[in-house]
Structures are given as structure tokens and as C-alpha cells.
């Protein structure tokens, strides 16, 4: 576990190399998505509906929203964070994106 934790802290793309049981470890997945938001695609499905974890992933890389559960893809706050990380990541999103002047 500690070896995998160290690996994903350095490179979140190491997550798919971890055993399935370790991809179900919230701490390991959190470290991976904080380093590389796209690591969300290799996380256990239960984490794609974890708002806090998805938020970390989206803040790191807006494109991570593509790997979130559908309910979270329609969350306006997550969409706004994705747009802040990468404005092109939210094209076609079902959630409205407000500018700072709308808030």
C-alpha cells in the first residue's frame, strides 16, 4: 500500500498499475487525482460519485469531469471548477456556467 501511495503521489497515472483493491482505497485515489485529475478514470466506480474526490480531480484538470458520475457532471459548482481549470473542458455541459459577474 505505501509503495503505491508513494507512486501515485509522484505520478497519478500510476493508478491503473495498482491492484484493484488498492484502486478502491480512497486515500490512494485522492492522492492520484490531486497529482493528475485524469487518474479518476482508473479509480473504482464508487469514487466517480464522490463529490469531494471529483472536485479535487476537476480542480487539477478540468477534463476529469468526463470521468465523474453523470449526476456530478450536471453539478453547476463542479462545472464551474472545471471551467476554471480549462474553459474548453466544459463545452456541451448540461450544467450552466456562470461568469464571476453572475455570482
Amino acid at each position: 500500500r505505501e509503495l503505491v501511495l508513494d507512486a501515485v503521489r509522484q505520478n497519478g497515472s500510476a493508478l491503473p498499475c495498482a491492484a484493484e483493491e488498492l484502486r478502491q482505497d480512497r486515500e490512494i485515489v485522492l492522492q492520484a487525482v490531486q497529482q493528475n485529475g485524469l487518474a479518476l478514470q482508473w479509480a473504482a466506480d464508487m469514487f466517480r460519485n464522490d463529490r469531494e474526490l471529483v472536485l479535487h480531480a476537476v480542480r487539477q484538470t478540468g477534463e476529469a469531469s468526463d470521468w465523474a458520475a453523470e449526476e456530478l457532471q450536471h453539478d453547476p459548482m463542479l462545472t464551474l471548477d472545471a471551467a476554471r481549470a480549462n474553459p474548453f473542458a466544459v463545452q456541451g455541459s448540461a450544467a450552466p456556467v456562470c461568469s464571476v459577474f453572475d455570482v
Side-chain angles (χ1 to χ4, degrees):
R1 181 179 188 275
E2 292 305 314
L3 179 66
V4 172
L5 197 51
D6 287 340
V8 298
R9 281 184 181 137
Q10 292 178 32
N11 185 348
S13 297
L15 189 60
C17 300
E20 181 64 33
E21 68 183 50
L22 294 175
R23 289 191 306 237
Q24 295 178 15
D25 183 309
R26 191 174 191 284
E27 183 181 3
I28 289 173
V29 174
L30 179 60
Q31 293 297 319
V33 300
Q34 285 179 325
Q35 197 285 322
N36 179 351
L38 295 177
L40 186 61
Q41 66 187 299
W42 298 299
D45 287 342
M46 64 185 171
F47 294 124
R48 295 178 189 201
N49 201 30
D50 182 321
R51 191 174 194 289
E52 179 188 358
L53 199 139
V54 171
L55 185 59
H56 284 289
V58 166
R59 285 182 175 163
Q60 200 286 323
T61 304
E63 293 88 343
S65 63
D66 292 344
W67 299 102
E70 189 170 340
E71 308 85 59
L72 292 179
Q73 289 181 13
H74 299 289
D75 182 307
M77 290 308 296
L78 285 173
T79 301
L80 184 58
D81 280 335
R84 286 181 181 141
N86 178 357
F88 298 106
V90 295
Q91 289 180 341
S93 171
V97 178
C98 303
S99 72
V100 291
F101 301 109
D102 295 334
V103 178

